[in-house]
Amino acid sequence: MSNATKTKSKAGENSAIRDPDVRLMLRVKGGDEAAFTELVANYQSRLVSVFYNMLGNRETAEDLAQECFLRIYQARNGYEPTAKFSTWLYRIANNLASNTRRSFSRRKEVSLSANNSGSMESTPREQMVPDKSALMPTRQADSRESCDVVRSALSTLGERQRLAVLLHKFEEMSYADIGEAMDLSPAAVKSLLSRARDNLRESLAAHVRPIS
């Protein structure tokens, strides 16, 4: 390994170590079971939400979230803090979702069309609807309808566009972190999100009521 590569690796490790979840994972590496329980608590609902919005099946989403945490636990002894914990987590999640979707596609058992009777998982719903509006009884029906519309629009995106939107909008990840999770450059992520926004705008246009 060259000196430049070593320096870059060291810089990445020093940056990652400031992430509290990386510090938890280092405790897991050291045998702290409580730290792993805390990581699961921090990410389980968020991870299930991402899988659900990627694959459209709640049971599959829960199973994949468990598989993701299992892989993390199995990899604990060799863990090195070279990136944020969430970046590593969603890289594993991305691979699991891609493999599962290909498997579903081969068996023709999955439909990614919107379920009009369904709703967004908790994290996307909370961030798509302003808190005060969501708390107003007269707005609740509109809120549910809005969530269904947005989920329907998300389902029209390709796999990579959808994941990029979920990570950027709902997980608030940077282009660089999304790129690491999806094995893309930050510029490619920016382009991907730009195309996704255009596609979402087109999908949502039919649901926007013109101002009279």
Side-chain angles (χ1 to χ4, degrees), residues 50-51 54-55 60 64 71 90-106 110 112 158-164 181-183:
V50 168
F51 280 131
M54 285 295 294
L55 299 168
T60 299
L64 288 181
R71 293 191 180 193
Y90 287 115
R91 186 185 302 129
I92 296 172
N94 179 35
N95 291 335
L96 283 171
S98 295
N99 292 340
T100 300
R101 188 173 181 182
R102 282 194 293 269
S103 177
F104 281 174
S105 180
R106 283 194 298 268
V110 68
L112 296 180
E159 179 180 341
R160 295 205 306 172
Q161 288 185 8
R162 191 182 314 152
L163 180 58
M182 298 182 65
D183 196 23

PDB file of all heavy atoms in Angstrom, residues 50-51 54-55 60 64 71 90-106 110 112 158-164 181-183:
ATOM      1  N   VAL A  50     -36.896   1.391   4.525  1.00  0.00           N
ATOM      2  CA  VAL A  50     -36.203   1.429   3.233  1.00  0.00           C
ATOM      3  C   VAL A  50     -36.491   0.168   2.432  1.00  0.00           C
ATOM      4  O   VAL A  50     -36.825   0.233   1.241  1.00  0.00           O
ATOM      5  CB  VAL A  50     -34.680   1.607   3.438  1.00  0.00           C
ATOM      6  CG1 VAL A  50     -33.918   1.353   2.134  1.00  0.00           C
ATOM      7  CG2 VAL A  50     -34.379   3.014   3.942  1.00  0.00           C
ATOM      8  N   PHE A  51     -36.378  -0.993   3.064  1.00  0.00           N
ATOM      9  CA  PHE A  51     -36.660  -2.247   2.365  1.00  0.00           C
ATOM     10  C   PHE A  51     -38.113  -2.291   1.880  1.00  0.00           C
ATOM     11  O   PHE A  51     -38.393  -2.757   0.766  1.00  0.00           O
ATOM     12  CB  PHE A  51     -36.387  -3.447   3.272  1.00  0.00           C
ATOM     13  CG  PHE A  51     -34.938  -3.833   3.378  1.00  0.00           C
ATOM     14  CD1 PHE A  51     -34.344  -4.052   4.616  1.00  0.00           C
ATOM     15  CD2 PHE A  51     -34.159  -4.004   2.243  1.00  0.00           C
ATOM     16  CE1 PHE A  51     -33.009  -4.423   4.716  1.00  0.00           C
ATOM     17  CE2 PHE A  51     -32.827  -4.375   2.331  1.00  0.00           C
ATOM     18  CZ  PHE A  51     -32.252  -4.588   3.573  1.00  0.00           C
ATOM     19  N   MET A  54     -38.530  -0.163  -1.088  1.00  0.00           N
ATOM     20  CA  MET A  54     -37.804  -0.713  -2.232  1.00  0.00           C
ATOM     21  C   MET A  54     -38.543  -1.898  -2.843  1.00  0.00           C
ATOM     22  O   MET A  54     -38.591  -2.060  -4.062  1.00  0.00           O
ATOM     23  CB  MET A  54     -36.403  -1.158  -1.800  1.00  0.00           C
ATOM     24  CG  MET A  54     -35.413  -0.025  -1.557  1.00  0.00           C
ATOM     25  SD  MET A  54     -35.027   0.889  -3.068  1.00  0.00           S
ATOM     26  CE  MET A  54     -34.165  -0.376  -4.005  1.00  0.00           C
ATOM     27  N   LEU A  55     -39.130  -2.736  -1.983  1.00  0.00           N
ATOM     28  CA  LEU A  55     -39.652  -4.021  -2.444  1.00  0.00           C
ATOM     29  C   LEU A  55     -41.163  -4.166  -2.334  1.00  0.00           C
ATOM     30  O   LEU A  55     -41.743  -5.078  -2.912  1.00  0.00           O
ATOM     31  CB  LEU A  55     -38.969  -5.156  -1.675  1.00  0.00           C
ATOM     32  CG  LEU A  55     -37.443  -5.209  -1.858  1.00  0.00           C
ATOM     33  CD1 LEU A  55     -36.822  -6.159  -0.842  1.00  0.00           C
ATOM     34  CD2 LEU A  55     -37.087  -5.631  -3.267  1.00  0.00           C
ATOM     35  N   THR A  60     -41.194  -9.262   3.801  1.00  0.00           N
ATOM     36  CA  THR A  60     -39.853  -9.336   3.201  1.00  0.00           C
ATOM     37  C   THR A  60     -38.948  -8.271   3.791  1.00  0.00           C
ATOM     38  O   THR A  60     -37.766  -8.525   4.069  1.00  0.00           O
ATOM     39  CB  THR A  60     -39.944  -9.170   1.677  1.00  0.00           C
ATOM     40  OG1 THR A  60     -40.745 -10.215   1.127  1.00  0.00           O
ATOM     41  CG2 THR A  60     -38.565  -9.225   1.039  1.00  0.00           C
ATOM     42  N   LEU A  64     -35.441  -9.041   5.660  1.00  0.00           N
ATOM     43  CA  LEU A  64     -34.176  -8.519   5.149  1.00  0.00           C
ATOM     44  C   LEU A  64     -33.472  -7.647   6.186  1.00  0.00           C
ATOM     45  O   LEU A  64     -32.237  -7.634   6.257  1.00  0.00           O
ATOM     46  CB  LEU A  64     -34.410  -7.722   3.863  1.00  0.00           C
ATOM     47  CG  LEU A  64     -34.768  -8.549   2.636  1.00  0.00           C
ATOM     48  CD1 LEU A  64     -34.957  -7.639   1.419  1.00  0.00           C
ATOM     49  CD2 LEU A  64     -33.681  -9.589   2.329  1.00  0.00           C
ATOM     50  N   ARG A  71     -25.715 -10.128   9.249  1.00  0.00           N
ATOM     51  CA  ARG A  71     -24.454 -10.000   8.516  1.00  0.00           C
ATOM     52  C   ARG A  71     -23.498  -9.038   9.216  1.00  0.00           C
ATOM     53  O   ARG A  71     -22.288  -9.261   9.242  1.00  0.00           O
ATOM     54  CB  ARG A  71     -24.726  -9.544   7.085  1.00  0.00           C
ATOM     55  CG  ARG A  71     -25.452 -10.591   6.252  1.00  0.00           C
ATOM     56  CD  ARG A  71     -25.471 -10.237   4.786  1.00  0.00           C
ATOM     57  NE  ARG A  71     -26.183 -11.255   4.014  1.00  0.00           N
ATOM     58  CZ  ARG A  71     -26.153 -11.333   2.700  1.00  0.00           C
ATOM     59  NH1 ARG A  71     -25.440 -10.458   1.995  1.00  0.00           N
ATOM     60  NH2 ARG A  71     -26.826 -12.279   2.071  1.00  0.00           N
ATOM     61  N   TYR A  90     -26.114   0.585   4.824  1.00  0.00           N
ATOM     62  CA  TYR A  90     -26.938   0.676   3.627  1.00  0.00           C
ATOM     63  C   TYR A  90     -26.248   0.088   2.391  1.00  0.00           C
ATOM     64  O   TYR A  90     -26.925  -0.236   1.416  1.00  0.00           O
ATOM     65  CB  TYR A  90     -27.384   2.118   3.399  1.00  0.00           C
ATOM     66  CG  TYR A  90     -28.447   2.521   4.391  1.00  0.00           C
ATOM     67  CD1 TYR A  90     -28.211   3.510   5.345  1.00  0.00           C
ATOM     68  CD2 TYR A  90     -29.679   1.877   4.409  1.00  0.00           C
ATOM     69  CE1 TYR A  90     -29.174   3.854   6.273  1.00  0.00           C
ATOM     70  CE2 TYR A  90     -30.651   2.213   5.340  1.00  0.00           C
ATOM     71  CZ  TYR A  90     -30.401   3.204   6.269  1.00  0.00           C
ATOM     72  OH  TYR A  90     -31.366   3.531   7.199  1.00  0.00           O
ATOM     73  N   ARG A  91     -24.946  -0.061   2.442  1.00  0.00           N
ATOM     74  CA  ARG A  91     -24.272  -0.803   1.369  1.00  0.00           C
ATOM     75  C   ARG A  91     -24.700  -2.269   1.420  1.00  0.00           C
ATOM     76  O   ARG A  91     -25.009  -2.877   0.390  1.00  0.00           O
ATOM     77  CB  ARG A  91     -22.756  -0.693   1.504  1.00  0.00           C
ATOM     78  CG  ARG A  91     -22.000  -1.333   0.325  1.00  0.00           C
ATOM     79  CD  ARG A  91     -20.505  -1.308   0.540  1.00  0.00           C
ATOM     80  NE  ARG A  91     -20.025   0.052   0.730  1.00  0.00           N
ATOM     81  CZ  ARG A  91     -19.247   0.449   1.730  1.00  0.00           C
ATOM     82  NH1 ARG A  91     -18.882  -0.415   2.672  1.00  0.00           N
ATOM     83  NH2 ARG A  91     -18.860   1.695   1.814  1.00  0.00           N
ATOM     84  N   ILE A  92     -24.733  -2.823   2.626  1.00  0.00           N
ATOM     85  CA  ILE A  92     -25.208  -4.202   2.794  1.00  0.00           C
ATOM     86  C   ILE A  92     -26.676  -4.298   2.405  1.00  0.00           C
ATOM     87  O   ILE A  92     -27.101  -5.227   1.708  1.00  0.00           O
ATOM     88  CB  ILE A  92     -25.009  -4.661   4.259  1.00  0.00           C
ATOM     89  CG1 ILE A  92     -23.511  -4.702   4.603  1.00  0.00           C
ATOM     90  CG2 ILE A  92     -25.642  -6.034   4.497  1.00  0.00           C
ATOM     91  CD1 ILE A  92     -23.228  -4.947   6.077  1.00  0.00           C
ATOM     92  N   ALA A  93     -27.484  -3.319   2.832  1.00  0.00           N
ATOM     93  CA  ALA A  93     -28.911  -3.310   2.514  1.00  0.00           C
ATOM     94  C   ALA A  93     -29.144  -3.226   1.008  1.00  0.00           C
ATOM     95  O   ALA A  93     -30.032  -3.898   0.470  1.00  0.00           O
ATOM     96  CB  ALA A  93     -29.593  -2.141   3.227  1.00  0.00           C
ATOM     97  N   ASN A  94     -28.351  -2.411   0.335  1.00  0.00           N
ATOM     98  CA  ASN A  94     -28.472  -2.278  -1.114  1.00  0.00           C
ATOM     99  C   ASN A  94     -28.236  -3.606  -1.814  1.00  0.00           C
ATOM    100  O   ASN A  94     -28.993  -4.007  -2.706  1.00  0.00           O
ATOM    101  CB  ASN A  94     -27.468  -1.227  -1.609  1.00  0.00           C
ATOM    102  CG  ASN A  94     -27.515  -1.035  -3.115  1.00  0.00           C
ATOM    103  OD1 ASN A  94     -28.571  -1.124  -3.740  1.00  0.00           O
ATOM    104  ND2 ASN A  94     -26.368  -0.773  -3.706  1.00  0.00           N
ATOM    105  N   ASN A  95     -27.207  -4.320  -1.392  1.00  0.00           N
ATOM    106  CA  ASN A  95     -26.913  -5.628  -1.991  1.00  0.00           C
ATOM    107  C   ASN A  95     -28.033  -6.625  -1.722  1.00  0.00           C
ATOM    108  O   ASN A  95     -28.440  -7.391  -2.615  1.00  0.00           O
ATOM    109  CB  ASN A  95     -25.587  -6.162  -1.452  1.00  0.00           C
ATOM    110  CG  ASN A  95     -24.397  -5.358  -1.939  1.00  0.00           C
ATOM    111  OD1 ASN A  95     -24.448  -4.723  -2.984  1.00  0.00           O
ATOM    112  ND2 ASN A  95     -23.317  -5.373  -1.167  1.00  0.00           N
ATOM    113  N   LEU A  96     -28.550  -6.625  -0.487  1.00  0.00           N
ATOM    114  CA  LEU A  96     -29.627  -7.544  -0.142  1.00  0.00           C
ATOM    115  C   LEU A  96     -30.898  -7.244  -0.949  1.00  0.00           C
ATOM    116  O   LEU A  96     -31.557  -8.158  -1.463  1.00  0.00           O
ATOM    117  CB  LEU A  96     -29.943  -7.454   1.354  1.00  0.00           C
ATOM    118  CG  LEU A  96     -28.985  -8.161   2.306  1.00  0.00           C
ATOM    119  CD1 LEU A  96     -29.310  -7.782   3.750  1.00  0.00           C
ATOM    120  CD2 LEU A  96     -29.070  -9.674   2.129  1.00  0.00           C
ATOM    121  N   ALA A  97     -31.229  -5.970  -1.066  1.00  0.00           N
ATOM    122  CA  ALA A  97     -32.432  -5.589  -1.809  1.00  0.00           C
ATOM    123  C   ALA A  97     -32.302  -5.956  -3.283  1.00  0.00           C
ATOM    124  O   ALA A  97     -33.250  -6.456  -3.893  1.00  0.00           O
ATOM    125  CB  ALA A  97     -32.695  -4.089  -1.656  1.00  0.00           C
ATOM    126  N   SER A  98     -31.123  -5.716  -3.851  1.00  0.00           N
ATOM    127  CA  SER A  98     -30.901  -6.031  -5.266  1.00  0.00           C
ATOM    128  C   SER A  98     -31.015  -7.524  -5.517  1.00  0.00           C
ATOM    129  O   SER A  98     -31.662  -7.965  -6.474  1.00  0.00           O
ATOM    130  CB  SER A  98     -29.529  -5.525  -5.717  1.00  0.00           C
ATOM    131  OG  SER A  98     -29.468  -4.117  -5.657  1.00  0.00           O
ATOM    132  N   ASN A  99     -30.383  -8.312  -4.657  1.00  0.00           N
ATOM    133  CA  ASN A  99     -30.440  -9.769  -4.817  1.00  0.00           C
ATOM    134  C   ASN A  99     -31.863 -10.288  -4.664  1.00  0.00           C
ATOM    135  O   ASN A  99     -32.301 -11.180  -5.409  1.00  0.00           O
ATOM    136  CB  ASN A  99     -29.520 -10.447  -3.803  1.00  0.00           C
ATOM    137  CG  ASN A  99     -28.053 -10.188  -4.082  1.00  0.00           C
ATOM    138  OD1 ASN A  99     -27.679  -9.833  -5.201  1.00  0.00           O
ATOM    139  ND2 ASN A  99     -27.217 -10.337  -3.067  1.00  0.00           N
ATOM    140  N   THR A 100     -32.583  -9.748  -3.685  1.00  0.00           N
ATOM    141  CA  THR A 100     -33.952 -10.193  -3.438  1.00  0.00           C
ATOM    142  C   THR A 100     -34.861  -9.811  -4.598  1.00  0.00           C
ATOM    143  O   THR A 100     -35.699 -10.609  -5.031  1.00  0.00           O
ATOM    144  CB  THR A 100     -34.485  -9.570  -2.137  1.00  0.00           C
ATOM    145  OG1 THR A 100     -33.647  -9.988  -1.051  1.00  0.00           O
ATOM    146  CG2 THR A 100     -35.911 -10.016  -1.867  1.00  0.00           C
ATOM    147  N   ARG A 101     -34.692  -8.608  -5.116  1.00  0.00           N
ATOM    148  CA  ARG A 101     -35.541  -8.179  -6.224  1.00  0.00           C
ATOM    149  C   ARG A 101     -35.288  -9.035  -7.466  1.00  0.00           C
ATOM    150  O   ARG A 101     -36.230  -9.387  -8.179  1.00  0.00           O
ATOM    151  CB  ARG A 101     -35.282  -6.706  -6.539  1.00  0.00           C
ATOM    152  CG  ARG A 101     -36.264  -6.141  -7.541  1.00  0.00           C
ATOM    153  CD  ARG A 101     -36.106  -4.663  -7.707  1.00  0.00           C
ATOM    154  NE  ARG A 101     -37.074  -4.139  -8.651  1.00  0.00           N
ATOM    155  CZ  ARG A 101     -37.118  -2.875  -9.004  1.00  0.00           C
ATOM    156  NH1 ARG A 101     -36.266  -2.008  -8.513  1.00  0.00           N
ATOM    157  NH2 ARG A 101     -38.025  -2.458  -9.870  1.00  0.00           N
ATOM    158  N   ARG A 102     -34.036  -9.381  -7.719  1.00  0.00           N
ATOM    159  CA  ARG A 102     -33.742 -10.246  -8.860  1.00  0.00           C
ATOM    160  C   ARG A 102     -34.381 -11.616  -8.667  1.00  0.00           C
ATOM    161  O   ARG A 102     -34.910 -12.207  -9.613  1.00  0.00           O
ATOM    162  CB  ARG A 102     -32.229 -10.379  -9.053  1.00  0.00           C
ATOM    163  CG  ARG A 102     -31.592  -9.168  -9.722  1.00  0.00           C
ATOM    164  CD  ARG A 102     -30.200  -9.493 -10.191  1.00  0.00           C
ATOM    165  NE  ARG A 102     -29.287  -9.746  -9.074  1.00  0.00           N
ATOM    166  CZ  ARG A 102     -28.555  -8.809  -8.496  1.00  0.00           C
ATOM    167  NH1 ARG A 102     -28.633  -7.557  -8.910  1.00  0.00           N
ATOM    168  NH2 ARG A 102     -27.751  -9.115  -7.505  1.00  0.00           N
ATOM    169  N   SER A 103     -34.334 -12.116  -7.422  1.00  0.00           N
ATOM    170  CA  SER A 103     -34.940 -13.409  -7.134  1.00  0.00           C
ATOM    171  C   SER A 103     -36.447 -13.355  -7.333  1.00  0.00           C
ATOM    172  O   SER A 103     -37.053 -14.252  -7.924  1.00  0.00           O
ATOM    173  CB  SER A 103     -34.610 -13.828  -5.698  1.00  0.00           C
ATOM    174  OG  SER A 103     -35.234 -15.036  -5.361  1.00  0.00           O
ATOM    175  N   PHE A 104     -37.086 -12.288  -6.839  1.00  0.00           N
ATOM    176  CA  PHE A 104     -38.517 -12.116  -7.020  1.00  0.00           C
ATOM    177  C   PHE A 104     -38.873 -12.024  -8.501  1.00  0.00           C
ATOM    178  O   PHE A 104     -39.870 -12.585  -8.955  1.00  0.00           O
ATOM    179  CB  PHE A 104     -38.989 -10.839  -6.315  1.00  0.00           C
ATOM    180  CG  PHE A 104     -39.168 -10.988  -4.829  1.00  0.00           C
ATOM    181  CD1 PHE A 104     -39.473  -9.881  -4.046  1.00  0.00           C
ATOM    182  CD2 PHE A 104     -39.040 -12.215  -4.211  1.00  0.00           C
ATOM    183  CE1 PHE A 104     -39.640 -10.001  -2.679  1.00  0.00           C
ATOM    184  CE2 PHE A 104     -39.204 -12.351  -2.848  1.00  0.00           C
ATOM    185  CZ  PHE A 104     -39.511 -11.239  -2.081  1.00  0.00           C
ATOM    186  N   SER A 105     -38.041 -11.291  -9.242  1.00  0.00           N
ATOM    187  CA  SER A 105     -38.310 -11.096 -10.655  1.00  0.00           C
ATOM    188  C   SER A 105     -38.258 -12.416 -11.406  1.00  0.00           C
ATOM    189  O   SER A 105     -39.096 -12.686 -12.278  1.00  0.00           O
ATOM    190  CB  SER A 105     -37.304 -10.111 -11.246  1.00  0.00           C
ATOM    191  OG  SER A 105     -37.540  -9.913 -12.622  1.00  0.00           O
ATOM    192  N   ARG A 106     -37.286 -13.246 -11.041  1.00  0.00           N
ATOM    193  CA  ARG A 106     -37.157 -14.543 -11.710  1.00  0.00           C
ATOM    194  C   ARG A 106     -38.376 -15.407 -11.434  1.00  0.00           C
ATOM    195  O   ARG A 106     -38.842 -16.140 -12.288  1.00  0.00           O
ATOM    196  CB  ARG A 106     -35.888 -15.266 -11.235  1.00  0.00           C
ATOM    197  CG  ARG A 106     -34.605 -14.716 -11.859  1.00  0.00           C
ATOM    198  CD  ARG A 106     -33.462 -15.686 -11.622  1.00  0.00           C
ATOM    199  NE  ARG A 106     -33.171 -15.870 -10.206  1.00  0.00           N
ATOM    200  CZ  ARG A 106     -32.292 -15.157  -9.523  1.00  0.00           C
ATOM    201  NH1 ARG A 106     -31.622 -14.181 -10.119  1.00  0.00           N
ATOM    202  NH2 ARG A 106     -32.078 -15.398  -8.244  1.00  0.00           N
ATOM    203  N   VAL A 110     -43.390 -10.830  -7.428  1.00  0.00           N
ATOM    204  CA  VAL A 110     -43.471  -9.531  -6.779  1.00  0.00           C
ATOM    205  C   VAL A 110     -44.067  -8.503  -7.714  1.00  0.00           C
ATOM    206  O   VAL A 110     -43.837  -8.561  -8.907  1.00  0.00           O
ATOM    207  CB  VAL A 110     -42.077  -9.067  -6.292  1.00  0.00           C
ATOM    208  CG1 VAL A 110     -41.173  -8.753  -7.456  1.00  0.00           C
ATOM    209  CG2 VAL A 110     -42.198  -7.849  -5.386  1.00  0.00           C
ATOM    210  N   LEU A 112     -44.340  -4.297  -7.958  1.00  0.00           N
ATOM    211  CA  LEU A 112     -43.876  -3.065  -7.332  1.00  0.00           C
ATOM    212  C   LEU A 112     -44.851  -1.907  -7.565  1.00  0.00           C
ATOM    213  O   LEU A 112     -44.521  -0.764  -7.327  1.00  0.00           O
ATOM    214  CB  LEU A 112     -42.494  -2.701  -7.887  1.00  0.00           C
ATOM    215  CG  LEU A 112     -41.405  -3.717  -7.569  1.00  0.00           C
ATOM    216  CD1 LEU A 112     -40.086  -3.271  -8.167  1.00  0.00           C
ATOM    217  CD2 LEU A 112     -41.263  -3.908  -6.073  1.00  0.00           C
ATOM    218  N   GLY A 158     -36.837   3.610 -11.017  1.00  0.00           N
ATOM    219  CA  GLY A 158     -35.987   2.438 -11.081  1.00  0.00           C
ATOM    220  C   GLY A 158     -35.379   2.165  -9.714  1.00  0.00           C
ATOM    221  O   GLY A 158     -35.409   3.025  -8.817  1.00  0.00           O
ATOM    222  N   GLU A 159     -34.813   0.985  -9.544  1.00  0.00           N
ATOM    223  CA  GLU A 159     -34.286   0.568  -8.244  1.00  0.00           C
ATOM    224  C   GLU A 159     -33.245   1.540  -7.702  1.00  0.00           C
ATOM    225  O   GLU A 159     -33.299   1.934  -6.541  1.00  0.00           O
ATOM    226  CB  GLU A 159     -33.679  -0.833  -8.375  1.00  0.00           C
ATOM    227  CG  GLU A 159     -33.081  -1.377  -7.088  1.00  0.00           C
ATOM    228  CD  GLU A 159     -32.493  -2.763  -7.284  1.00  0.00           C
ATOM    229  OE1 GLU A 159     -32.846  -3.432  -8.272  1.00  0.00           O
ATOM    230  OE2 GLU A 159     -31.674  -3.170  -6.449  1.00  0.00           O
ATOM    231  N   ARG A 160     -32.296   1.933  -8.539  1.00  0.00           N
ATOM    232  CA  ARG A 160     -31.222   2.799  -8.052  1.00  0.00           C
ATOM    233  C   ARG A 160     -31.742   4.198  -7.740  1.00  0.00           C
ATOM    234  O   ARG A 160     -31.326   4.809  -6.742  1.00  0.00           O
ATOM    235  CB  ARG A 160     -30.082   2.868  -9.070  1.00  0.00           C
ATOM    236  CG  ARG A 160     -29.373   1.548  -9.279  1.00  0.00           C
ATOM    237  CD  ARG A 160     -27.958   1.722  -9.775  1.00  0.00           C
ATOM    238  NE  ARG A 160     -27.899   2.533 -10.975  1.00  0.00           N
ATOM    239  CZ  ARG A 160     -26.761   2.969 -11.521  1.00  0.00           C
ATOM    240  NH1 ARG A 160     -25.608   2.669 -10.952  1.00  0.00           N
ATOM    241  NH2 ARG A 160     -26.766   3.681 -12.627  1.00  0.00           N
ATOM    242  N   GLN A 161     -32.633   4.723  -8.586  1.00  0.00           N
ATOM    243  CA  GLN A 161     -33.185   6.036  -8.312  1.00  0.00           C
ATOM    244  C   GLN A 161     -33.971   6.034  -7.010  1.00  0.00           C
ATOM    245  O   GLN A 161     -33.867   6.962  -6.199  1.00  0.00           O
ATOM    246  CB  GLN A 161     -34.102   6.481  -9.461  1.00  0.00           C
ATOM    247  CG  GLN A 161     -33.356   6.864 -10.735  1.00  0.00           C
ATOM    248  CD  GLN A 161     -34.288   7.412 -11.797  1.00  0.00           C
ATOM    249  OE1 GLN A 161     -35.468   7.654 -11.552  1.00  0.00           O
ATOM    250  NE2 GLN A 161     -33.768   7.599 -13.005  1.00  0.00           N
ATOM    251  N   ARG A 162     -34.766   4.996  -6.803  1.00  0.00           N
ATOM    252  CA  ARG A 162     -35.586   4.923  -5.590  1.00  0.00           C
ATOM    253  C   ARG A 162     -34.727   4.876  -4.343  1.00  0.00           C
ATOM    254  O   ARG A 162     -34.978   5.589  -3.366  1.00  0.00           O
ATOM    255  CB  ARG A 162     -36.500   3.697  -5.663  1.00  0.00           C
ATOM    256  CG  ARG A 162     -37.568   3.672  -4.572  1.00  0.00           C
ATOM    257  CD  ARG A 162     -38.409   2.418  -4.672  1.00  0.00           C
ATOM    258  NE  ARG A 162     -38.814   2.178  -6.047  1.00  0.00           N
ATOM    259  CZ  ARG A 162     -39.075   0.985  -6.543  1.00  0.00           C
ATOM    260  NH1 ARG A 162     -38.959  -0.088  -5.781  1.00  0.00           N
ATOM    261  NH2 ARG A 162     -39.449   0.845  -7.796  1.00  0.00           N
ATOM    262  N   LEU A 163     -33.680   4.041  -4.360  1.00  0.00           N
ATOM    263  CA  LEU A 163     -32.823   3.947  -3.186  1.00  0.00           C
ATOM    264  C   LEU A 163     -32.103   5.265  -2.929  1.00  0.00           C
ATOM    265  O   LEU A 163     -31.990   5.706  -1.781  1.00  0.00           O
ATOM    266  CB  LEU A 163     -31.803   2.818  -3.363  1.00  0.00           C
ATOM    267  CG  LEU A 163     -30.842   2.610  -2.190  1.00  0.00           C
ATOM    268  CD1 LEU A 163     -31.607   2.311  -0.900  1.00  0.00           C
ATOM    269  CD2 LEU A 163     -29.855   1.487  -2.493  1.00  0.00           C
ATOM    270  N   ALA A 164     -31.625   5.910  -3.975  1.00  0.00           N
ATOM    271  CA  ALA A 164     -30.940   7.191  -3.811  1.00  0.00           C
ATOM    272  C   ALA A 164     -31.863   8.227  -3.180  1.00  0.00           C
ATOM    273  O   ALA A 164     -31.459   8.984  -2.282  1.00  0.00           O
ATOM    274  CB  ALA A 164     -30.419   7.685  -5.156  1.00  0.00           C
ATOM    275  N   ALA A 181     -22.378   3.886  -0.376  1.00  0.00           N
ATOM    276  CA  ALA A 181     -23.348   2.811  -0.143  1.00  0.00           C
ATOM    277  C   ALA A 181     -23.765   2.126  -1.437  1.00  0.00           C
ATOM    278  O   ALA A 181     -24.037   0.922  -1.453  1.00  0.00           O
ATOM    279  CB  ALA A 181     -24.586   3.363   0.567  1.00  0.00           C
ATOM    280  N   MET A 182     -23.785   2.885  -2.537  1.00  0.00           N
ATOM    281  CA  MET A 182     -24.265   2.353  -3.809  1.00  0.00           C
ATOM    282  C   MET A 182     -23.158   2.115  -4.827  1.00  0.00           C
ATOM    283  O   MET A 182     -23.421   1.766  -5.972  1.00  0.00           O
ATOM    284  CB  MET A 182     -25.313   3.314  -4.401  1.00  0.00           C
ATOM    285  CG  MET A 182     -26.547   3.504  -3.543  1.00  0.00           C
ATOM    286  SD  MET A 182     -27.792   4.606  -4.298  1.00  0.00           S
ATOM    287  CE  MET A 182     -28.273   3.660  -5.737  1.00  0.00           C
ATOM    288  N   ASP A 183     -21.918   2.306  -4.399  1.00  0.00           N
ATOM    289  CA  ASP A 183     -20.763   2.126  -5.276  1.00  0.00           C
ATOM    290  C   ASP A 183     -20.841   3.043  -6.492  1.00  0.00           C
ATOM    291  O   ASP A 183     -20.645   2.632  -7.636  1.00  0.00           O
ATOM    292  CB  ASP A 183     -20.650   0.665  -5.720  1.00  0.00           C
ATOM    293  CG  ASP A 183     -19.269   0.337  -6.295  1.00  0.00           C
ATOM    294  OD1 ASP A 183     -18.310   1.047  -5.962  1.00  0.00           O
ATOM    295  OD2 ASP A 183     -19.157  -0.629  -7.078  1.00  0.00           O
TER     296      ASP A 183
END
